[in-house]
């Protein structure tokens, strides 16, 4: 059954787990491949992290997440408002989706799993669009982290 509540992606990264972990949990490194200016920022469980989006066409937006879990070299997760791109809309009353990154050792590198869940709680008027855009976004971000790790 196709679930519209969650998006799942997997990629085998040809890099050691410690390096993949750094690309995720180090906010500055994360921002470099994800497209957010996070210089001088940190990801701390229980705190929010914000930065200017650097992705062309979305530079007027602030990326804002609530960091959930930071379990070294295993799990990193945060909550956010998916596809919150209309500057004049107040998304603060909406539910957030949860983005969960999990790392696993694999032959030849590290398996990165990403699951974004909770779309069923997003207002119906924008749920499908948010799901679609994030779905596409994660495809792109998987390539981005792969390219980033290839350079480092």
């Amino acid at each position: 059954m196709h679930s519209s509540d969650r998006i799942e992606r997997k990629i085998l990264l040809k890099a050691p787990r410690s390096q993949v972990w750094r690309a995720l949990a180090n906010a500055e490194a994360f921002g470099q491949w994800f497209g957010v200016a996070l210089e001088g920022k940190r990801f701390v469980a229980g705190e929010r992290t914000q930065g200017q989006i650097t992705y062309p066409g979305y530079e007027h937006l602030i990326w804002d997440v609530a960091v959930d879990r930071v379990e070294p070299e295993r799990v990193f997760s945060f909550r956010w408002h998916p596809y919150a791109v209309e500057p004049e809309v107040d998304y603060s009353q909406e539910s957030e989706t949860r983005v969960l990154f999990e790392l696993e050792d694999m032959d030849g590198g590290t398996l990165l799993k990403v699951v974004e869940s909770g779309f069923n709680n997003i207002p119906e008027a924008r749920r499908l669009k948010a799901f679609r855009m994030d779905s596409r976004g994660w495809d792109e971000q998987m390539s981005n982290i792969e390219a980033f790790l290839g350079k480092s």
Side-chain angles (χ1 to χ4, degrees):
M1 170 187 144
H2 171 72
S3 163
S4 61
D5 187 53
R6 55 197 290 141
I7 296 168
E8 299 188 34
R9 294 288 178 272
K10 278 181 192 178
I11 186 171
L12 179 58
L13 298 163
K14 292 174 180 38
R17 197 155 157 173
S18 56
Q19 210 180 342
V20 177
W21 176 250
R22 198 186 154 276
L24 288 174
N26 175 298
E28 295 191 10
F30 181 95
Q32 285 171 19
W33 63 268
F34 201 86
V36 190
L38 293 173
E39 289 73 22
K41 302 287 174 86
R42 295 175 59 221
F43 289 143
V44 180
E47 293 182 14
R48 294 198 84 89
T49 302
Q50 286 145 336
Q52 195 83 34
I53 293 179
T54 57
Y55 191 83
Y58 295 95
E59 296 99 334
H60 59 292
L61 298 171
I62 295 291
W63 186 80
D64 176 21
V65 302
V67 179
D68 264 341
R69 291 165 64 190
V70 183
E71 297 172 23
E73 305 204 3
R74 264 177 32 84
V75 175
F76 172 56
S77 76
F78 56 72
R79 293 185 318 275
W80 68 1
H81 293 290
Y83 202 60
V85 296
E86 303 294 335
E88 63 281 359
V89 174
D90 174 15
Y91 297 97
S92 64
Q93 300 310 303
E94 289 188 12
S95 289
E96 294 177 303
T97 53
R98 181 157 184 261
V99 175
L100 176 72
F101 297 91
E102 289 181 293
L103 299 184
E104 220 177 284
D105 289 325
M106 289 284 273
D107 282 350
T110 306
L111 182 69
L112 169 63
K113 275 199 296 205
V114 183
V115 176
E116 182 175 1
S117 59
F119 285 94
N120 288 351
N121 300 323
I122 300 303
E124 201 171 347
R126 59 181 225 89
R127 183 184 308 153
L128 187 61
K129 175 115 196 214
F131 184 86
R132 266 202 210 120
M133 296 307 286
D134 279 20
S135 205
R136 240 181 22 217
W138 286 118
D139 289 338
E140 201 171 314
Q141 295 295 10
M142 295 295 94
S143 308
N144 290 349
I145 191 170
E146 188 173 37
F148 176 79
L149 288 163
K151 286 199 294 269
S152 52

